Amino acid sequence: MRKRTTALAAGGVIAMLALAGCSGGGNGSPAAADVDLSNVDYSGSVSVITRYAGNYESFFQEMKSAYEAEHPGVTVELQQESDQGYKDKIKTLTASQSLPDVYFTWPGNYAEQFYDNGVALDLTDVIGPDTEWGQTMAPSAIGALTKDGRTYGIPFGLDAKFMVYNEKLFQQAGVEVPTDLDGLLKACDTLSAAGITPMSFGNVDGWPAIHFMTQLNSYDVPADVLAADYKPDTATWDDPGYVEALEQFSDIIDRCTTTGSGANGSDYYSQRDAFGAGQAAMFYVENLEFGATVPEGSVAANDGWGIFKLPAASDAQGDLGALTGAPDGFLINPKAKNLPLAVDFMKFVTDKANATALTAELGIPSPVKDSLTDENSTPQLRESIDVLQDANSLSIWLDTVTVPDVADAYLSGVQGLISGDRSAQDVMDAVKAASEQAKG
């Protein structure tokens, strides 16, 4: 699968919210005062939209069937879209004020648009960190869907970014797992000299490069500066670490990939498949895609594979313990006819048994505590969750954590950097200009 929301998508949602005349400003979301999960009226319907179409759609189909079987008076009206289909669909539904009762979200600024415009129910009293339900979840996942102490989202999948590598190709070239950025670049040189493509990379949609930038910015910019720059009121984007991060990314593209300046014309999924086919030694991928990246019986699976964090420069000034990632989540429409039913459906979906099944069937790690076992997951997936749990912080995707104007500037700027049309400083000049414009 994948992905990911783009700045255009995020900006589109803002525009649609404005057109729909939704309430603006902070604290716009109503609280879940009418949600009593001890007294749910199990009748009528609950409408749900996900972004898990295609290879991932079976899980929610099973949830629909199981919930309807358990509650014969209930019908679950389920829509499942692809990533791009979801981006388009949610804008249309928002503009027409016909959001389903339960709808998907990415965290960061993308989700905050819904919170701030009163179209996401304040769920603090039912899944906040101090509630019984909330305590079944990883605290970092709850935190990623919380703003100003109020929890709005229901975490669904734990998602973090790792470099996967082919153990046989590494051994063939005589390279070790790199521990810093210089080591990664030297490993790429050695692999290339051995006739092995070091890293597969395609960026036709823009977001794959942004995932690299999310991690590199966290390494190269002090955490307090980064946090301030993600807020329009305090953003300056003038830390030199941003330019350093872009230059490091450029080095990775030049020395590690064969797509190079043509990567903007190369499809992410084709490049992912190339790793699985044993045609490249490394690929940067989300842990929920491990199964699709290295399918059972694939060349990479037979060669043996491992994971490591994208390494930082030895002199990086930011948070070396940060990890790029964020939970996928769901929001509840305050206008749902049967609010308790809508919330109860998602509580059912995220109970421990179903969370365990989610990982077993789709390889998606759940934020539900103790849902990952030796029986339902690979060693690499369990290792990724251990690293996630030990991370100092989770760095939310750059194209969802920033305001849309800034995300747009980054997306187009980094594509220009890849193609050779822009320098690192050009990109940051555009980002700073977009940030100033966003201040109004």
Side-chain angles (χ1 to χ4, degrees), residues 1 5 8 56 98 133 171 217 249 272 330 370 380 393:
M1 147 169 90
T5 187
L8 289 175
Y56 292 84
S98 52
W133 186 11
Q171 184 176 21
N217 280 351
F249 173 68
R272 187 181 70 182
F330 283 85
D370 303 322
Q380 294 88 349
S393 61

Side-chain angles (χ1 to χ4, degrees), residues 188-204:
C188 289
D189 294 342
T190 302
L191 286 159
S192 293
I196 297 168
T197 297
M199 187 184 300
S200 50
F201 176 70
N203 194 52
V204 71

Side-chain angles (χ1 to χ4, degrees), residues 120-425:
L121 191 67
D122 180 342
L123 296 169
T124 306
D125 292 340
V126 292
I127 198 172
D130 297 327
T131 64
E132 181 180 353
W133 186 11
Q135 289 182 357
T136 68
M137 299 276 185
S140 61
I142 294 287
L145 295 165
T146 296
K147 180 183 180 184
D148 298 333
R150 310 301 297 177
T151 300
Y152 299 92
I154 301 163
F156 175 71
L158 277 181
D159 195 3
K161 198 87 176 184
F162 291 88
M163 192 71 74
V164 294
Y165 71 98
N166 182 306
E167 293 175 340
K168 181 178 179 180
L169 294 180
F170 265 42
Q171 184 176 21
Q172 185 177 324
V175 298
E176 302 289 337
V177 172
T179 57
D180 62 20
L181 183 61
D182 187 55
L184 173 67
L185 296 173
K186 288 179 177 175
C188 289
D189 294 342
T190 302
L191 286 159
S192 293
I196 297 168
T197 297
M199 187 184 300
S200 50
F201 176 70
N203 194 52
V204 71
D205 294 317
W207 57 261
I210 293 302
H211 288 190
F212 276 92
M213 293 314 309
T214 304
Q215 185 68 71
L216 293 171
N217 280 351
S218 295
Y219 287 155
D220 292 318
V221 180
D224 58 337
V225 175
L226 200 61
D229 287 340
Y230 285 162
K231 303 297 181 186
D233 292 345
T234 55
T236 63
W237 296 98
D238 57 5
D239 190 279
Y242 292 114
V243 171
E244 291 175 15
L246 286 160
E247 291 174 342
Q248 291 165 2
F249 173 68
S250 189
D251 285 342
I252 292 171
I253 297 305
D254 290 344
R255 292 170 63 177
C256 296
T257 74
T258 53
T259 45
S261 62
N264 294 327
S266 182
D267 175 62
Y268 168 84
Y269 301 101
S270 298
Q271 293 297 316
R272 187 181 70 182
D273 292 345
F275 176 84
Q279 297 168 2
M282 291 178 278
F283 186 67
Y284 197 43
V285 64
E286 291 155 65
N287 58 351
L288 56 75
E289 289 183 78
F290 283 174
T293 307
V294 193
E296 286 186 18
S298 65
V299 174
N302 292 334
D303 286 350
W305 61 288
I307 67 170
F308 60 89
K309 279 179 64 180
L310 181 67
S314 57
D315 59 349
Q317 300 297 305
D319 182 2
L320 303 189
L323 176 67
T324 292
D328 286 354
F330 283 85
L331 303 177
I332 304 295
N333 182 356
K335 294 183 178 179
K337 289 182 179 178
N338 189 340
L339 275 175
L341 186 66
V343 176
D344 186 75
F345 175 72
M346 284 309 300
K347 190 173 184 182
F348 172 80
V349 167
T350 58
D351 71 20
K352 186 175 177 180
N354 288 328
T356 302
L358 172 69
T359 304
E361 294 179 19
L362 302 183
I364 297 177
S366 167
V368 175
K369 295 175 182 175
D370 303 322
S371 60
L372 209 61
T373 68
D374 291 353
E375 288 73 33
N376 72 354
S377 59
T378 64
Q380 294 88 349
L381 187 61
R382 294 195 294 277
E383 179 183 351
S384 76
I385 296 302
D386 288 342
V387 174
L388 186 154
Q389 302 283 16
D390 290 340
N392 290 347
S393 61
L394 288 180
S395 302
I396 297 175
W397 321 106
L398 187 57
D399 57 341
T400 65
V401 74
T402 57
V403 296
D405 288 345
V406 170
D408 271 342
Y410 248 115
L411 279 159
S412 61
V414 174
Q415 285 190 311
L417 181 74
I418 291 171
S419 63
D421 296 329
R422 295 189 186 184
S423 68
Q425 189 60 58

